[in-house]
Amino acid sequence: MAWTKALIWLSCLALLSMSLAEGIGINWGTMASHPLHPSVVVQMLKDNGIRNVKLFDSDHWTVSAFADTNIEVMIAIPNDQLSRFSDDYDNAKDWVKENVTSHLKSQGGVKIKYVGVGNEPFLKSYNGSFMKSTFPSLKNIQKALEEAGHGDEIKATIPLNADVYESSSDKPSGGSFRSDIKTLMTDIVHFLHNKKAPFIVNIYPFLSLYLNPNFPVNFAFFEGADKPIQDNNVQYTNVFDANYDTLVWSLKKAGVPDLKIIVGEVGWPTDGDKHGTIELAQKWYSGFTKKMASGKGTPLRPGPLDVYVFGLVDENMKSIAPGSFERHWGIFRYDGKPKFPLDLFGKGHEKGLVPAKGVQYLPSQWCVFDKSATNMKDVPANMNYACSRADCTPLGFGSSCNNLDSYGNMSYAFNIYFQMQDQDVEACDFQGLAKLTKQNPSTGKCVFPIEIMSSGDRLKFLHVTSALLLLVIVAILM
């Protein structure tokens, strides 16, 4: 009898662990000059036990890679496409047919769970650009999903930034939706509630630290704060819980206290800022994954949370208007190698993340400054040229290559441009200031990368190879 009880208890623990693991998904952004092949990414997700993925568009090639994988997928409509659906229902129907229905099969199809309508469309920095088109688009997409017979299984929602709500007291209980969009947000959350769709919010503890030099550093992490926030009878020891519960209060005041919440983006960058380091990212993720595994939730929403980590891999084509860190959110490098040991599900495993398999690199060569060059007056213009067309963010203050000397800075700029141009020999000239080398110039934490063969290049290579093989076969037969 005792053994039977023990087995039942162990089974319950296993089921609990599975449910907790399924609560962690990941964002896969593809704004990279040399993106990984979708099949490589899907295998990497499977190898790491990630069962939920959030995309930022509905690219057919990308979405198709998830067929017959049992990975739940959130596809999306970018902000610049919202106007197509806000006042034209036929466009919404066509979009659902092409981007949802086409992927669904009784067996072996893509397991689409959500459609994200826009991405943080109400950011203050957008100055209301998407204010009129977002909600009508949401309603039309949801209606099209229902008309196509998908409304019970697939829900449309809006991934929103945490700046849609604010607190009058700097405490969660003072939370309410932003005054300029309060009526709109109230209408949206009631619509979501009626359609049984979730509220998706992006929460970034790092940004609290980045935007406020006086923000207490330890409050951004999960080891406990020196000065916790006392909100009536509730104590907050980290900004994630405080931010999340500010939303809970906002929903309560809007009349939908039980609306399901999903954290659409949460993470920590590894470069591009003095606080964006691998060491601090590892510290943050260690605390966060343990919190997730505990299933304790937040003070106002106890229990397991649904979150999507941001993000999967670095994206060297992202805008750096918010900060240089924007290109360094990945828990994997651009090539699918883990940046640091991480037990994503907080179970105490030391094996860490599984790297991408089958990644092909360009040749092991670098473009560096030629110290024999005499035209030093041309250096500034050439560095500006390189960095305006490639990712030089690691050279910034507090970043991983910040400690290079002037020659190192020039070499980094020249090399990153050279790699981005697929190592075209003409991309390593810079008016005679650069030369090729087989010696790796990386030093300390500063990595001079070798670019990968992008998925597009690999396809071209395969097509050329297939064509050559065909010609050989024809020649033999003749």
Side-chain angles (χ1 to χ4, degrees):
M1 187 68 178
W3 278 106
T4 302
K5 289 182 178 179
L7 287 172
I8 293 174
W9 173 243
L10 289 172
S11 299
C12 290
L13 284 178
L15 288 172
L16 177 60
S17 296
M18 287 176 62
S19 67
L20 292 177
E22 289 173 355
I24 291 186
I26 202 157
N27 286 269
W28 175 24
T30 56
M31 297 182 70
S33 61
H34 294 65
L36 291 166
H37 194 284
S39 63
V40 172
V41 172
V42 169
Q43 187 60 52
M44 182 167 64
L45 295 174
K46 292 167 70 174
D47 289 343
N48 286 285
I50 298 171
R51 302 176 184 177
N52 306 277
V53 66
K54 178 170 167 281
L55 306 176
F56 292 89
D57 55 30
S58 58
D59 175 73
H60 195 275
W61 187 37
T62 301
V63 177
S64 296
F66 291 95
D68 202 23
T69 63
N70 207 36
I71 295 175
E72 287 190 350
V73 181
M74 182 190 304
I75 59 175
I77 299 172
N79 291 337
D80 60 5
Q81 295 182 22
L82 293 177
S83 59
R84 289 180 51 208
F85 312 110
S86 59
D87 55 6
D88 193 328
Y89 178 60
D90 286 338
N91 282 344
K93 286 199 299 183
D94 290 342
W95 188 91
V96 167
K97 181 180 179 180
E98 295 170 8
N99 297 281
V100 178
T101 306
S102 66
H103 292 292
L104 304 180
K105 302 175 184 177
S106 57
Q107 290 183 336
V110 180
K111 196 174 182 180
I112 298 174
K113 182 71 172 177
Y114 300 109
V115 175
V117 180
N119 183 47
E120 302 185 330
F122 303 148
L123 275 175
K124 292 180 181 179
S125 59
Y126 289 154
N127 297 316
S129 299
F130 310 107
M131 208 73 80
K132 293 181 180 179
S133 59
T134 302
F135 190 26
S137 295
L138 172 68
K139 290 188 284 188
N140 279 339
I141 292 295
Q142 184 62 46
K143 181 181 177 182
L145 287 169
E146 292 169 357
E147 189 174 294
H150 313 316
D152 291 337
E153 293 80 26
I154 304 173
K155 302 295 182 180
T157 184
I158 307 171
L160 295 162
N161 188 276
D163 80 340
V164 297
Y165 50 89
E166 55 196 4
S167 174
S168 58
S169 63
D170 291 328
K171 296 180 180 181
S173 61
S176 62
F177 288 114
R178 221 169 65 208
S179 58
D180 62 314
I181 55 173
K182 182 169 288 188
T183 300
L184 175 59
M185 285 303 306
T186 300
D187 291 341
I188 287 173
V189 297
H190 279 273
F191 177 82
L192 295 175
H193 187 266
N194 291 336
K195 297 297 182 179
K196 296 181 172 58
F199 187 105
I200 296 184
V201 61
N202 300 339
I203 298 176
Y204 282 107
F206 168 81
L207 291 182
S208 299
L209 196 58
Y210 176 76
L211 296 172
N212 182 0
N214 298 315
F215 190 86
V217 174
N218 56 8
F219 198 60
F221 297 89
F222 297 93
E223 284 74 25
D226 295 333
K227 296 180 180 180
I229 290 179
Q230 194 68 38
D231 190 8
N232 297 318
N233 62 337
V234 179
Q235 187 178 82
Y236 291 93
T237 60
N238 66 82
V239 69
F240 176 85
D241 284 358
N243 193 313
Y244 190 105
D245 281 359
T246 303
L247 171 59
V248 174
W249 273 105
S250 302
L251 293 172
K252 181 178 181 180
K253 292 174 184 178
V256 285
D258 59 342
L259 182 62
K260 177 180 175 65
I261 297 173
I262 293 176
V263 178
E265 297 178 20
V266 64
W268 199 278
T270 58
D271 209 346
D273 182 70
K274 64 179 181 180
H275 293 302
T277 67
I278 286 179
E279 292 78 14
L280 288 179
Q282 186 173 13
K283 175 182 177 181
W284 186 88
Y285 272 108
S286 176
F288 180 71
T289 53
K290 289 174 183 175
K291 173 184 176 60
M292 286 293 297
S294 73
K296 293 180 179 178
T298 70
L300 298 187
R301 285 283 181 99
L305 303 176
D306 290 312
V307 304
Y308 291 87
V309 165
F310 189 86
L312 183 65
V313 292
D314 285 349
E315 301 172 79
N316 66 350
M317 298 291 285
K318 285 193 72 176
S319 168
I320 58 172
S324 295
F325 54 83
E326 278 295 325
R327 295 176 175 173
H328 305 281
W329 287 101
I331 56 175
F332 292 88
R333 298 188 341 158
Y334 69 98
D335 56 358
K337 288 183 178 179
K339 293 181 180 178
F340 50 85
L342 174 62
D343 172 17
L344 192 56
F345 301 119
K347 298 177 182 177
H349 298 164
E350 296 298 328
K351 65 177 183 179
L353 298 169
V354 180
K357 298 172 182 175
V359 178
Q360 296 180 3
Y361 293 83
L362 298 178
S364 294
Q365 58 180 353
W366 295 262
C367 178
V368 297
F369 174 70
D370 186 349
K371 293 183 179 180
S372 67
T374 57
N375 54 327
M376 296 300 291
K377 61 180 177 59
D378 295 324
V379 167
N382 280 278
M383 279 196 68
N384 287 338
Y385 180 86
C387 289
S388 66
R389 290 162 175 79
D391 180 27
C392 290
T393 55
L395 295 176
F397 174 74
S399 300
S400 60
C401 297
N402 180 219
N403 293 322
L404 295 177
D405 59 20
S406 58
Y407 294 135
N409 287 333
M410 289 182 271
S411 292
Y412 189 92
F414 294 165
N415 181 67
I416 202 68
Y417 175 80
F418 171 68
Q419 300 294 338
M420 198 166 177
Q421 298 300 315
D422 294 318
Q423 296 190 358
D424 185 340
V425 66
E426 294 183 2
C428 187
D429 179 51
F430 297 101
Q431 295 181 285
L433 292 168
K435 66 177 183 179
L436 291 176
T437 181
K438 297 288 186 179
Q439 185 175 349
N440 189 344
S442 300
T443 175
K445 296 180 181 179
C446 182
V447 176
F448 282 60
I450 291 290
E451 192 54 88
I452 64 172
M453 188 179 290
S454 73
S455 53
D457 289 336
R458 291 177 67 181
L459 281 178
K460 286 188 285 185
F461 174 77
L462 289 173
H463 289 158
V464 171
T465 303
S466 299
L468 289 173
L469 285 173
L470 181 61
L471 289 173
V472 171
I473 291 171
V474 170
I476 293 172
L477 292 175
M478 291 177 64

